[in-house]
């Protein structure tokens, strides 16, 4: 279940345990209002233990919106080692800040 919090000028989005084909569309819908409100975005991956290509696509489109279109900042935090390895292998760690847990 996606949670969206405002902390100062920053928006924190907490993922659920999985970003797969079934949950990714709902996650994308849930975060849309947050993308329209702020340009300092943190995606808290504390609970995330599985990510499919559909989840990676959402991270990529979110990054494009926040960083490129809105000239904002985005980072992924509390990323476990397995998810970090996927992000590194797919090139995400070269384009956005990824903080391990």
């Amino acid at each position: 279940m996606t949670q969206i919090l405002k902390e100062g000028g920053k928006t924190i989005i907490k993922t659920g345990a999985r970003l797969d084909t079934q949950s990714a569309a709902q996650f994308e819908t849930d975060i849309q209002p947050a993308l329209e409100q702020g340009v300092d975005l943190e995606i808290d991956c504390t609970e995330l233990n599985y990510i499919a290509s559909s989840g990676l696509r959402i991270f990529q489109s979110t990054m494009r919106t926040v960083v490129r279109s809105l000239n904002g900042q985005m980072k992924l935090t509390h990323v476990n080692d397995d998810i970090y390895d996927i992000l590194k292998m797919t090139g995400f760690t070269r384009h956005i800040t990824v903080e391990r847990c």
Side-chain angles (χ1 to χ4, degrees), residues 9 23 25 39 42 45 53 58-59 62 74:
S23 62
V39 294
E42 175 183 326
C45 300
S53 59
I58 292 169
F59 283 175
T62 302
M74 176 181 158

Side-chain angles (χ1 to χ4, degrees), residues 2-71:
T2 307
Q3 294 179 1
I4 300 173
L5 310 165
K6 290 293 254 182
E7 194 173 281
K10 177 172 45 174
T11 301
I12 301 171
I13 298 172
K14 294 187 174 199
T15 69
R18 298 176 64 87
L19 278 177
D20 55 21
T21 305
Q22 302 239 327
S23 62
Q26 185 62 50
F27 180 77
E28 188 170 34
T29 300
D30 291 346
I31 69 170
Q32 211 52 41
L35 297 181
E36 297 167 3
Q37 295 176 4
V39 294
D40 189 3
L41 183 66
E42 175 183 326
I43 298 180
D44 183 338
C45 300
T46 301
E47 294 181 25
L48 188 63
N49 57 40
Y50 179 83
I51 189 164
S53 59
S54 52
L56 292 170
R57 182 189 54 77
I58 292 169
F59 283 175
Q60 182 180 34
S61 66
T62 302
M63 178 183 65
R64 283 186 181 145
T65 299
V66 172
V67 177
R68 295 182 182 162
S69 298
L70 300 175
N71 204 23

Side-chain angles (χ1 to χ4, degrees), residues 41 43 45 56 58-60 62-64 66-68 72-77 79 84 87-88 91-99:
L41 183 66
I43 298 180
C45 300
L56 292 170
I58 292 169
F59 283 175
Q60 182 180 34
T62 302
M63 178 183 65
R64 283 186 181 145
V66 172
V67 177
R68 295 182 182 162
Q73 297 178 21
M74 176 181 158
K75 68 180 175 179
L76 304 175
T77 61
V79 175
Y84 182 84
L87 294 170
K88 184 174 181 178
F92 279 85
T93 58
R94 291 188 305 240
H95 302 287
I96 59 173
T97 301
V98 180
E99 298 176 0

